[in-house]
């Protein structure tokens, strides 16, 4: 299996060293950037598999780096920040982040989060014993092998978390999923997020599909979400 590369972006050299050591012990290759501008350069040059991104940095802050990466890439982004206010966390996720780890953090937990987002990107085995790798629901198609979503043939770029939220909703069309159920299906074991985090991901998914001309998700107030019936 090819060694995965993680881009560590933080203006604190000590934090980069701690993260580099923890990821190195776990078998990852790491590259680093100490500010937002260099992060964009390194991202384009190295094409990492995961980005660990601080929020408060010189040159460009983490939210702007995330915006630029999300213009044309779905690479998993884990925000790492001393800003632990829920509004900051929600903002990071709505900009396209896959996860958010507050400082101070456990290096072991951070490595677990990196492994979790990478597992969600693993393609489904395309053999006769595997479940169908393509899920179709009206104009919506999810290709689990290519990790690709389309609406009326137009590709909708989803992050790993967004992809698995849509896949969860497609598991039983018509079923209303609570936020807790969606959390269990979209996140790795033992990782807990708030209801507002799920809501933020769903808002971003709906916005992306709206730009492609559709809206596959329905809100059931007081309960959760379900996949919309095909038109």
């Amino acid at each position: 299996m090819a060694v995965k590369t993680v881009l560590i972006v933080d203006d604190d050299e000590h934090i980069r060293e701690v993260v580099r050591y923890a990821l190195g012990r776990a078998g990852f290759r790491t590259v680093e950037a100490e500010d937002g501008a260099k992060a964009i350069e390194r991202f384009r040059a190295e094409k990492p598999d995961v980005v660990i991104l601080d929020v408060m940095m010189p040159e460009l802050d983490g939210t702007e780096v995330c915006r630029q990466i999300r213009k044309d890439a779905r690479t998993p982004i884990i925000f790492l920040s001393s800003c632990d206010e829920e509004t900051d966390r929600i903002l990071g996720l709505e900009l396209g982040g896959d996860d958010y780890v507050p400082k101070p953090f456990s290096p072991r937990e951070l490595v677990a989060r990196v492994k979790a987002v990478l597992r969600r990107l693993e393609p489904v085995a395309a053999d006769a014993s595997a479940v169908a790798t393509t899920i179709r629901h009206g104009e919506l198609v999810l290709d689990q092998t290519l990790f690709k979503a389309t609406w009326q043939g137009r590709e909708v770029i989803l992050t790993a978390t967004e992809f698995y939220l849509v896949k969860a909703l497609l598991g039983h069309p018509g079923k209303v999923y609570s936020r807790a159920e969606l959390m269990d299906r979209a996140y790795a074991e033992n990782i807990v997020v708030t209801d507002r985090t799920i809501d933020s991901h769903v808002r971003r998914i709906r916005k992306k599909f709206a730009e492609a001309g559709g809206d596959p998700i329905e809100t059931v107030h007081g309960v959760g979400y379900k996949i919309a019936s095909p038109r």
Side-chain angles (χ1 to χ4, degrees), residues 30-68:
T30 60
V31 291
E32 301 174 32
E34 65 271 23
D35 61 54
K38 288 186 175 61
I40 297 298
E41 292 178 7
R42 287 292 177 88
F43 180 83
R44 291 170 178 165
E46 298 286 345
K47 295 179 173 55
D49 298 287
V50 180
V51 178
I52 295 175
L53 181 59
D54 187 28
V55 175
M56 304 298 292
M57 292 185 299
E59 299 297 331
L60 297 175
D61 66 18
T63 58
E64 182 56 33
V65 173
C66 182
R67 284 191 186 97
Q68 294 200 28

Side-chain angles (χ1 to χ4, degrees), residues 18-145:
V18 169
V19 176
R20 180 200 320 133
Y21 178 75
L23 289 170
R25 288 195 63 186
F28 292 96
R29 171 180 176 264
T30 60
V31 291
E32 301 174 32
E34 65 271 23
D35 61 54
K38 288 186 175 61
I40 297 298
E41 292 178 7
R42 287 292 177 88
F43 180 83
R44 291 170 178 165
E46 298 286 345
K47 295 179 173 55
D49 298 287
V50 180
V51 178
I52 295 175
L53 181 59
D54 187 28
V55 175
M56 304 298 292
M57 292 185 299
E59 299 297 331
L60 297 175
D61 66 18
T63 58
E64 182 56 33
V65 173
C66 182
R67 284 191 186 97
Q68 294 200 28
I69 289 175
R70 282 289 172 258
K71 287 179 180 179
D72 54 12
R74 68 183 77 187
T75 306
I77 296 173
I78 300 174
F79 279 103
L80 186 65
S81 177
S82 55
C83 300
D84 195 25
E85 292 295 328
E86 189 174 21
T87 52
D88 295 307
R89 187 175 307 192
I90 296 303
L91 174 61
L93 296 172
E94 290 194 340
L95 289 171
D98 290 274
D99 208 345
Y100 192 112
V101 178
K103 299 175 183 177
F105 60 92
S106 159
R108 289 182 63 184
E109 179 185 358
L110 183 59
V111 170
R113 301 275 183 125
V114 170
K115 290 180 177 179
V117 295
L118 286 171
R119 276 198 302 273
R120 298 204 299 271
L121 288 171
E122 291 175 356
V124 174
D127 58 50
S129 63
V131 297
T133 59
T134 300
I135 305 172
R136 300 178 183 274
H137 184 78
E139 305 292 347
L140 171 61
V141 178
L142 286 188
D143 187 318
Q144 299 179 79
T145 301

